[in-house]
Amino acid sequence: MSIVILGIESSCDDTSAAVVVDGLLRSNVIASQKVHEEFGGVVPELASRAHQQNIVPVVATAISRAGIDKHDLSAIAFTRGPGLLGSLLVGTSFAKGLSLGLRCPIIDVNHLHGHVLAHFLRKEETDRVPEFPFICLLISGGNSQIVLVKDWGNMTILGRTIDDAAGEAFDKCAKVMGLPYPGGPHIDRLASEGNPNRFHFAKPHIPGLDYSFSGLKTSFLYTLRDAVAQDPDFIAKNQADLAASLQHTIIEILMDKLRRAVEQTGVRTIAIGGGVSANSGVREAVASYCERYGLEAFIPERAFTTDNAAMVAMAGYFKYLAKDFCQYDSTPYARVTI
């Protein structure tokens, strides 16, 4: 009998549902929320309301596209955290209700584990997946971590951000430049047209493998403040060069610690995950580094870098094999590490 896992993701502002059958992805449906764009960031109350509107049609569509019936489900996996509590409550409550109605077990998934395990998503049996151990550079709006993955359920954080995450640096600097939310993709687009060596911003000197991006943000802000004081049109005239220099600096910070992690552990397989792993500069830097030093690189499809239920279903599949289910009194959590 096939193992059929329904994954539900509602940690922030994307409502997503996916179906994995015997480890192969059958469907992945995402409903994005445009309501936050005018506010320059995610509004938690609006996000949870949008999840309530989207979750039923999204789940129904995922099941339909997978070519299964809801009664075929072996288990329902849901994101328990970290994330926005109101948003997580919608997904958690829906998963519990559907589980009770169908009399199938539920599986709670750590959102960050999902990003790491997204590399095991396959559409065909022959699709390549990493072997353990590997190092995952997990970079998103809320997290920047270097994770040593020894097994699907055995992960150790080698380094993490001590303040802001890489994605936060992208978005907040983009906001100062007057770019729409989310700013990361706009920075990426503009960077391809600019000179990455035009401007120089502060780089942190943090011991070990931990990250820091607050100093970079401050340096970027002061550069713009002083320049705009002399020329009010400075940002408009230099958008591409500012974006390219900012992106170049962030990538240098990320790659410096990643290289150190490889040297310290001797692990020869590198993966990246999280929303910032969709950035073209990051993807090129990791691929180039791995090619130069003979390392194996795993760079996910862009569809699996942002928040999605496919990664939740994949993590749920591993936990199902281990019979690692959760109870109905499980509650969401806003903050947690690997």
Side-chain angles (χ1 to χ4, degrees), residues 24 34 53 88 128 139 151 171 182-183 195 260 276 282 310 334:
L24 298 180
K34 301 294 185 182
Q53 295 174 340
L88 290 167
R128 195 170 64 105
I139 37 179
D151 201 346
D171 287 342
N195 176 6
R260 293 191 203 179
V276 180
V282 171

Side-chain angles (χ1 to χ4, degrees), residues 3-10 16-30 58-59 62-63 66 68 73-80 95 105-122 152 303-304 306-322 324-325:
I3 299 174
V4 183
I5 308 295
L6 169 67
I8 296 175
E9 157 62 23
S10 67
S16 182
V19 174
V20 165
V21 179
D22 293 330
L24 298 180
L25 182 64
R26 287 282 192 87
S27 68
N28 186 40
V29 179
I30 302 175
V58 165
V59 169
I63 290 174
I68 63 167
L73 296 177
S74 305
I76 300 167
F78 65 95
T79 300
R80 187 179 169 194
I106 50 174
I107 300 171
D108 61 325
V109 172
N110 181 320
H111 180 80
L112 304 181
H113 283 190
H115 277 303
V116 174
L117 297 177
H119 292 282
F120 293 91
L121 286 166
R122 296 174 301 156
W152 72 264
F304 302 138
T306 54
D307 295 345
N308 65 90
M311 66 182 191
V312 177
M314 191 70 245
Y317 175 74
F318 282 116
K319 296 188 78 170
Y320 182 91
L321 294 177
D324 186 2
F325 306 115

Side-chain angles (χ1 to χ4, degrees), residues 152-202:
W152 72 264
N154 186 358
M155 305 182 195
T156 302
I157 296 178
L158 303 179
R160 61 162 65 90
T161 181
I162 63 173
D163 43 53
D164 301 324
E168 189 176 0
F170 272 120
D171 287 342
K172 289 189 175 179
C173 290
K175 187 174 182 178
V176 173
M177 291 173 62
L179 298 174
Y181 174 84
H186 296 285
I187 294 290
D188 192 14
R189 173 181 54 81
L190 287 167
S192 64
E193 307 167 5
N195 176 6
N197 299 309
R198 171 80 184 284
F199 300 101
H200 299 279
F201 305 114

Side-chain angles (χ1 to χ4, degrees), residues 23-227:
L24 298 180
L25 182 64
R26 287 282 192 87
S27 68
N28 186 40
V29 179
I30 302 175
S32 299
Q33 302 174 4
K34 301 294 185 182
V35 67
H36 307 286
E37 292 180 359
E38 62 179 295
F39 300 102
V42 177
V43 182
E45 176 63 25
L46 296 179
S48 57
R49 291 183 183 184
H51 283 304
Q52 289 178 318
Q53 295 174 340
N54 293 335
I55 194 163
V56 172
V58 165
V59 169
T61 302
I63 290 174
S64 175
R65 288 183 183 176
I68 63 167
D69 184 89
K70 60 181 180 293
H71 296 287
D72 296 328
L73 296 177
S74 305
I76 300 167
F78 65 95
T79 300
R80 187 179 169 194
L84 302 175
L85 274 180
S87 296
L88 290 167
L89 277 168
V90 175
T92 300
S93 301
F94 185 89
K96 290 178 180 179
L98 186 59
S99 167
L100 287 168
L102 297 177
R103 297 184 179 180
C104 67
I106 50 174
I107 300 171
D108 61 325
V109 172
N110 181 320
H111 180 80
L112 304 181
H113 283 190
H115 277 303
V116 174
L117 297 177
H119 292 282
F120 293 91
L121 286 166
R122 296 174 301 156
K123 296 177 182 177
E124 304 290 341
E125 290 282 359
T126 54
D127 289 348
R128 195 170 64 105
V129 297
E131 294 184 0
F132 301 112
F134 65 92
I135 289 176
C136 183
L137 176 61
L138 179 56
I139 37 179
S140 65
N143 296 276
S144 293
Q145 299 179 347
I146 299 176
V147 184
L148 175 60
V149 187
K150 302 173 186 176
D151 201 346
W152 72 264
N154 186 358
M155 305 182 195
T156 302
I157 296 178
L158 303 179
R160 61 162 65 90
T161 181
I162 63 173
D163 43 53
D164 301 324
E168 189 176 0
F170 272 120
D171 287 342
K172 289 189 175 179
C173 290
K175 187 174 182 178
V176 173
M177 291 173 62
L179 298 174
Y181 174 84
H186 296 285
I187 294 290
D188 192 14
R189 173 181 54 81
L190 287 167
S192 64
E193 307 167 5
N195 176 6
N197 299 309
R198 171 80 184 284
F199 300 101
H200 299 279
F201 305 114
K203 295 179 184 177
H205 298 281
I206 307 299
L209 298 178
D210 287 338
Y211 286 114
S212 170
F213 291 95
S214 62
L216 167 63
K217 287 195 321 182
T218 301
S219 173
F220 187 85
L221 177 62
Y222 284 167
T223 298
L224 264 61
R225 184 196 64 179
D226 295 342

